[in-house]
Amino acid sequence: DTEVTQTPKHLVMGMTNKKSLKCEQHMGHRAMYWYKQKAKKPPELMFVYSYEKLSINESVPSRFSPECPNSSLLNLHLHALQPEDSALYLCASSQPGLPQYNEQFFGPGTRLTVL
Amino acid sequence: SQQGEEDPQALSIQEGENATMNCSYKTSINNLQWYRQNSGRGLVHLILIRSNEREKHSGRLRVTLDTSKKSSSLLITASRAADTASYFCATARYGQNFVFGPGTRLSVLP
């Protein structure tokens, strides 16, 4: 199984809502990533988990809270988001190590709209 | 900034033609990767080329790396309509951010 799954595919939320994005992989990868991608822009790295521990946080606002409950799952908890946070949120996984050393497998993304 | 810069930003070609995209970066790197993204979907890894390699092939893809010029190129030969996508290079240097370039949007017309 070389698939990374993400749920939901689409999410619309208000600025006062709390929601979560979920990501799952069963490739035995021990590194997982969250990226944010605005329209017609490249993905921007947000967080990296290595062996279920947060190893990179690219100065992301605290309204985004990642969680890695086990080696197959990655969550992104969202709270008090702003309209400018509307974007495609991509999850990826790879063998452990820094992202530049490894092929990353991406999920299809969650399209988030904040009203 | 470590960010790679792709050139051109957009490219339209006919099926069967070759497509060449370039990526330039500013500081020395460990590796350089190329990814493809179909519209609004996840990225697919194409090739990783290490800083001590000059050329790699994978099927119809050929990637070159010139560390003296801080540039890489991706050549897609005998293009197909299914190659229509955005292509990103991604680089990093040890201790620095892993960053995608702005991408080249390739359209292959039937």
Side-chain angles (χ1 to χ4, degrees):
Chain A
D1 184 0
T2 59
E3 190 179 14
V4 176
T5 59
Q6 289 188 244
T7 55
K9 288 194 172 113
H10 301 275
L11 178 62
V12 179
M13 60 186 290
M15 290 189 283
T16 59
N17 292 156
K18 286 185 181 181
K19 296 287 184 183
S20 297
L21 309 184
K22 297 185 183 300
C23 174
E24 188 167 6
Q25 57 87 16
H26 295 287
M27 293 178 276
H29 289 162
R30 301 303 296 274
M32 297 186 77
Y33 313 79
W34 281 116
Y35 288 87
K36 173 183 177 180
Q37 186 178 26
K38 302 283 273 186
K40 297 188 178 180
K41 296 291 186 183
E44 295 177 358
L45 185 63
M46 300 173 71
F47 303 105
V48 180
Y49 273 82
S50 183
Y51 293 100
E52 296 86 70
K53 294 195 186 310
L54 185 64
S55 61
I56 296 177
N57 177 342
E58 296 291 8
S59 302
V60 179
S62 60
R63 57 185 184 268
F64 295 91
S65 175
E67 178 197 21
C68 191
N70 61 54
S71 59
S72 300
L73 294 174
L74 185 66
N75 298 322
L76 187 62
H77 303 297
L78 313 172
H79 174 53
L81 295 193
Q82 303 297 310
E84 59 265 28
D85 297 320
S86 298
L88 182 68
Y89 287 84
L90 294 163
C91 172
S93 70
S94 77
Q95 297 295 338
L98 292 171
Q100 58 264 38
Y101 292 110
N102 296 296
E103 172 185 357
Q104 294 178 49
F105 291 78
F106 281 81
T110 292
R111 176 112 11 227
L112 173 67
T113 303
V114 182
L115 301 177
Chain B
S1 170
Q2 182 68 43
Q3 186 174 15
E5 298 284 336
E6 280 93 344
D7 166 45
Q9 290 186 347
L11 179 62
S12 287
I13 58 174
Q14 296 293 133
E15 245 183 340
E17 293 180 339
N18 295 342
T20 299
M21 289 158 269
N22 302 299
C23 170
S24 60
Y25 53 92
K26 295 180 180 177
T27 63
S28 61
I29 58 172
N30 300 111
N31 306 309
L32 186 143
Q33 300 182 44
W34 284 92
Y35 284 82
R36 183 187 77 228
Q37 184 177 33
N38 291 87
S39 179
R41 299 187 58 81
L43 283 75
V44 174
H45 184 267
L46 297 176
I47 285 184
L48 182 155
I49 186 165
R50 304 192 188 284
S51 57
N52 61 354
E53 296 177 311
R54 292 296 167 258
E55 188 171 313
K56 281 188 89 166
H57 296 255
S58 176
R60 294 184 296 113
L61 306 180
R62 173 177 168 252
V63 168
T64 62
L65 179 64
D66 187 334
T67 53
S68 66
K69 295 181 179 177
K70 294 186 172 56
S71 68
S72 174
S73 67
L74 170 65
L75 168 67
I76 304 174
T77 60
S79 63
R80 305 166 182 168
D83 295 327
T84 294
S86 290
Y87 291 82
F88 297 95
C89 67
T91 61
R93 184 180 179 185
Y94 183 78
Q96 296 187 349
N97 300 347
F98 180 69
V99 177
F100 284 88
T104 292
R105 292 187 302 280
L106 174 66
S107 296
V108 181
L109 307 174

